Amino acid sequence: MLNLLGMPAAASAHSGEIDQMMSLVHWLMLVLFVGWGAFFVFALTRFRKGANPRASYVGAKGKIAKSTEVAVAIVEIALIVFYAIPAWARRVTNFPGGSDAVIVRVVGHQFAWEVQYPGADGKFGRIDPTLITADNPLGLDRKDPDGKDDITTINQLNVPVGRPVLVHLSSQDVIHSFGLYEMRIKQDAVPGLEMPVWFVPTVTTNDMRAQLKNPTFEYEITCSQLCGLGHYRMRGFVTVQSAADYDKWMAEQVKALTP
Ligand SMILES: [Cu+2]
């Protein structure tokens, strides 16, 4: 049923509920499209000039139109109350925390995604726009004690499978949008605000490659907000790894940082 909609592969714990809602909304729209289309054809023939030489100023009478409208409104309200609001509430409460969660900061700018891991101390180093240079596009203050062990990457987010990932999202310049389609995540990155967004990746990049029979597949970070001339090339990648591979990757980053 979902494949009819051409949805991207699903790779996060909450993608099922998003897809279910998407599919319900689309089926409702199909029913409405066919129903209103049929009504349109009925109205064209029923109220044609040949059968109604004199215009009626009273109009058609009947309860079907009104009861149909009420039924459609009830279905729409049910979708909002029983699907949309609960799904939204789960996204904006119970943010992951504790030692199990992987916490990263992602900062968008024209036209790249800067990623910052807090390092062993679990604290993000200070970032300051006045420190932004070609070598330090995030503007990380390495003199800040919290920032000494921070790991930074550009357009590359590595996460372990099966653990909640909490992204603190912001922007340096204009509004960008952090879109991870396979994770069913989309959140605007707004300058001056830090927006939390979270997901639990359930399929490693390697497993997804096997599943899709596409050996070069990558999860993409797509900027989903038209943000300037280079918007088209503002794309990053998410590599979902096994716990062991992730630890190995992180150890390599830490090693590269130590002079
Ligand atoms: Cu952008």
Side-chain angles (χ1 to χ4, degrees):
M1 184 163 91
L2 285 171
N3 286 345
L4 286 177
L5 299 176
M7 300 281 258
S12 73
H14 72 282
S15 52
E17 68 180 357
I18 302 273
D19 289 3
Q20 189 190 24
M21 196 164 62
M22 291 282 243
S23 112
L24 287 172
V25 168
H26 280 80
W27 282 112
L28 173 65
M29 289 306 130
L30 181 67
V31 169
L32 290 184
F33 175 72
V34 172
W36 289 127
F39 178 71
F40 177 58
V41 173
F42 165 78
L44 283 179
T45 42
R46 171 67 182 79
F47 302 110
R48 68 189 187 279
K49 191 181 173 189
N52 306 272
R54 277 174 59 87
S56 160
Y57 295 101
V58 183
K61 290 200 178 91
K63 291 200 175 102
I64 297 178
K66 187 163 274 176
S67 41
T68 313
E69 293 237 22
V70 171
V72 170
I74 289 173
V75 174
E76 285 171 350
I77 290 168
L79 276 176
I80 293 172
V81 172
F82 296 113
Y83 289 92
I85 293 176
W88 170 79
R90 276 190 289 274
R91 306 309 306 154
V92 298
T93 50
N94 304 323
F95 282 102
S99 57
D100 192 37
V102 176
I103 299 174
V104 293
R105 180 186 268 160
V106 174
V107 181
H109 65 82
Q110 290 172 324
F111 296 98
W113 299 100
E114 305 298 330
V115 178
Q116 179 184 12
Y117 293 83
D121 65 357
K123 289 182 195 156
F124 289 114
R126 193 175 74 90
I127 53 175
D128 181 347
T130 61
L131 298 175
I132 294 172
T133 58
D135 292 338
N136 183 9
L138 182 65
L140 174 63
D141 182 2
R142 287 286 181 194
K143 292 197 185 93
D144 178 14
D146 295 340
K148 285 199 163 51
D149 61 351
D150 287 16
I151 305 296
T152 58
T153 59
I154 301 175
N155 288 330
Q156 178 62 47
L157 177 62
N158 285 52
V159 291
V161 71
R163 281 171 60 188
V165 179
L166 175 62
V167 177
H168 292 283
L169 187 67
S170 65
S171 166
Q172 287 175 356
D173 39 38
V174 299
I175 298 176
H176 301 276
S177 183
F178 184 68
L180 309 181
Y181 294 123
E182 289 82 5
M183 308 300 164
R184 304 293 189 268
I185 285 290
K186 195 180 282 177
Q187 171 65 56
D188 277 5
V190 182
L193 291 181
E194 202 170 79
M195 318 287 269
V197 55
W198 67 281
F199 59 97
V200 183
T202 52
V203 188
T204 64
T205 299
N206 283 335
D207 286 352
M208 188 54 87
R209 284 176 180 170
Q211 200 176 308
L212 298 174
K213 297 188 180 66
N214 177 0
T216 57
F217 172 84
E218 296 282 359
Y219 295 119
E220 269 190 35
I221 308 172
T222 309
C223 182
S224 309
Q225 187 72 262
L226 190 55
C227 60
L229 280 177
H231 164 71
Y232 70 94
R233 61 181 156 84
M234 186 168 171
R235 64 201 275 255
F237 299 96
V238 183
T239 306
V240 182
Q241 299 172 296
S242 66
D245 285 352
Y246 174 74
D247 290 345
K248 199 172 136 212
W249 175 83
M250 189 50 90
E252 280 164 13
Q253 304 304 307
V254 172
K255 208 172 150 199
L257 197 66
T258 347

